[in-house]
Amino acid sequence: MLLLPFQLLAVLFPGGDGEDAFQGPTSYHIIQISSFANSTWEHHQASGWLDDLQIHGWDSDSGTAIFLKPWSKGNISDEEIAELQKNLRAHLLRFTRYTLGYASQFQVKYPIEYQAIAGCELQPGGSIGSFLRGALGGLDFMSFKKDTCVPAPEGGSRAQQACKLIMNNHDDINNLKTLLFDTCPRYLLGVLEAGKAELQRQVKPEAWLSRGPSPESGRLLLVCHVSGFYPKPVWVKWMRGEQEQPGTQQSDLMPNADWTWYLRATLDVAAGEETGLSCQVKHSSLEGQDIILHWGQPISIGLIFLAVIVPSLILLLCLALWYMRRR
Ligand SMILES: *[C@@H]1O[C@H](CO)[C@@H](O)[C@H](O)[C@H]1NC(C)=O
């Protein structure tokens, strides 16, 4: 039994090529967001993620999971999935009951916003670690260390009471332990294997330049857009020759709808200093053929030549021929 995860790991990290061998997500987690507007209105959202790629949704009306990819089930059987859905429905019901009871007992003010994240991740040594953290009203509330509920300092006495309540419920704790330390690692290895073709694909970025709004008069904001790449790690810098420009500012990575990423690198320069600058992009999909875009380079002299000079020459030639004929 113990050997199986290691065999799967060998498949996921082939040949010991170091870290480059495996790119793509290394963790699975479920996010629960529960909102209680008052004592009679609550709403739960749940979703499942491989790092920052969503593979599961949750239909809260029917209490069933939505599989967003054909391989989202990993190697978990349909019976076990049915069981897990039942578990999650029961958990949400119990959670609602606890929260409402707790709110009336301790006079907690509505609205109550609760967020939780629970899952597991591959660790560098090849082991798999599990985690569960909860937040109330946007502040850390509690987390699990091993199999013990630990109240967060920000949660105050409420978090301490909640943890006591949770730890007293042995059935729930045992269920949770199975989910975190058995089901999740098994599922993670299975789904990373099932989705390998998509999770470990390489998609090349496209890059283009534009001018941003001038920061102040006499200055320019150069913008280098890089879009459509996968996986996430990317290197984008404004350069002068071989020299990295330290003023390069990178935006956050933003997701495109097709599981690729978008990023913007900007440089604020004095007008006149922009000539000779270029934007350089390195990404694993480019296999060392970096994209280099030069600022302000004429659209390509060749193109201008073709578009303007050649038609003019032809026109001139035609005119000359026509003129000669007439004579
Ligand atoms: C509870 O909140 C919901 C949603 O905001 C609202 O429609 C409903 O009228 C509220 N009920 C009470 C009893 O305040």
Side-chain angles (χ1 to χ4, degrees):
M1 274 301 277
L2 259 181
L3 263 175
L4 185 65
F6 289 106
Q7 282 163 356
L8 280 167
L9 278 181
V11 174
L12 292 170
F13 296 92
D17 296 358
E19 286 136 81
D20 307 309
F22 181 74
Q23 294 203 319
T26 53
S27 70
Y28 175 75
H29 64 264
I30 289 182
I31 293 180
Q32 176 195 341
I33 301 174
S34 294
S35 313
F36 298 82
N38 49 49
S39 59
T40 56
W41 190 97
E42 83 271 350
H43 184 67
H44 304 286
Q45 284 171 280
S47 49
W49 303 73
L50 288 171
D51 286 6
D52 29 33
L53 307 171
Q54 189 183 357
I55 58 167
H56 295 136
W58 179 254
D59 181 342
S60 52
D61 293 333
S62 64
T64 51
I66 301 162
F67 297 94
L68 298 175
K69 293 283 172 184
W71 44 265
S72 294
K73 290 183 182 175
N75 58 355
I76 302 261
S77 69
D78 285 344
E79 293 76 41
E80 194 173 357
I81 284 171
E83 189 64 25
L84 288 168
Q85 292 185 148
K86 208 175 91 188
N87 262 339
L88 189 51
R89 282 194 296 267
H91 160 74
L92 292 175
L93 277 176
R94 244 186 345 259
F95 182 80
T96 301
R97 213 175 53 226
Y98 275 158
T99 307
L100 295 177
Y102 187 79
S104 73
Q105 188 180 349
F106 296 98
Q107 319 251 297
V108 180
K109 283 218 180 68
Y110 290 97
I112 297 171
E113 288 289 340
Y114 182 82
Q115 292 156 293
I117 178 168
C120 54
E121 65 190 328
L122 289 174
Q123 282 161 349
S127 59
I128 297 183
S130 298
F131 53 87
L132 189 159
R133 296 188 297 275
L136 192 61
L139 294 177
D140 283 344
F141 189 64
M142 57 81 149
S143 63
F144 266 78
K145 296 264 163 1
K146 292 237 173 77
D147 49 7
T148 308
C149 182
V150 180
E154 294 92 324
S157 59
R158 276 184 198 167
Q160 289 169 3
Q161 286 155 354
C163 267
K164 233 181 248 163
L165 201 72
I166 292 168
M167 291 308 290
N168 278 338
N169 207 319
H170 301 290
D171 285 353
D172 285 359
I173 289 294
N174 284 334
N175 245 331
L176 185 66
K177 272 184 352 200
T178 309
L179 285 174
L180 283 180
F181 300 106
D182 174 65
T183 316
C184 187
R186 192 158 44 84
Y187 172 70
L188 175 64
L189 292 175
V191 79
L192 289 182
E193 179 61 26
K196 195 161 72 174
E198 200 165 348
L199 295 168
Q200 297 191 38
R201 77 204 200 283
Q202 293 284 333
V203 188
K204 288 184 184 170
E206 274 180 50
W208 67 96
L209 305 177
S210 74
R211 236 178 104 163
S214 286
E216 52 187 285
S217 69
R219 298 196 69 84
L220 294 177
L221 189 67
L222 317 186
V223 188
C224 179
H225 307 258
V226 185
S227 187
F229 55 92
Y230 182 94
K232 209 173 178 181
V234 70
W235 184 97
V236 185
K237 280 280 182 332
W238 279 98
M239 311 284 286
R240 187 180 295 285
E242 298 285 291
Q243 201 76 42
E244 267 180 44
Q245 297 306 104
T248 302
Q249 301 266 341
Q250 278 194 3
S251 70
D252 289 336
L253 277 148
M254 285 176 268
N256 289 322
D258 60 355
W259 274 25
T260 63
W261 296 95
Y262 169 85
L263 174 91
R264 206 166 41 206
T266 55
L267 186 67
D268 173 359
V269 293
E273 281 179 10
E274 70 277 19
T275 40
L277 286 170
S278 59
C279 173
Q280 186 168 354
V281 182
K282 293 176 191 284
H283 186 261
S284 51
S285 64
L286 298 170
E287 296 171 343
Q289 307 275 305
D290 298 356
I291 297 178
I292 300 175
L293 298 176
H294 296 275
W295 181 265
Q297 194 179 50
I299 311 170
S300 159
I301 312 245
L303 262 181
I304 293 180
F305 184 80
L306 279 177
V308 180
I309 314 281
V310 172
S312 318
L313 280 179
I314 292 173
L315 193 68
L316 269 180
L317 204 69
C318 292
L319 277 175
L321 280 175
W322 175 72
Y323 188 68
M324 272 157 62
R325 278 217 178 151
R326 281 202 57 181
R327 292 189 93 193

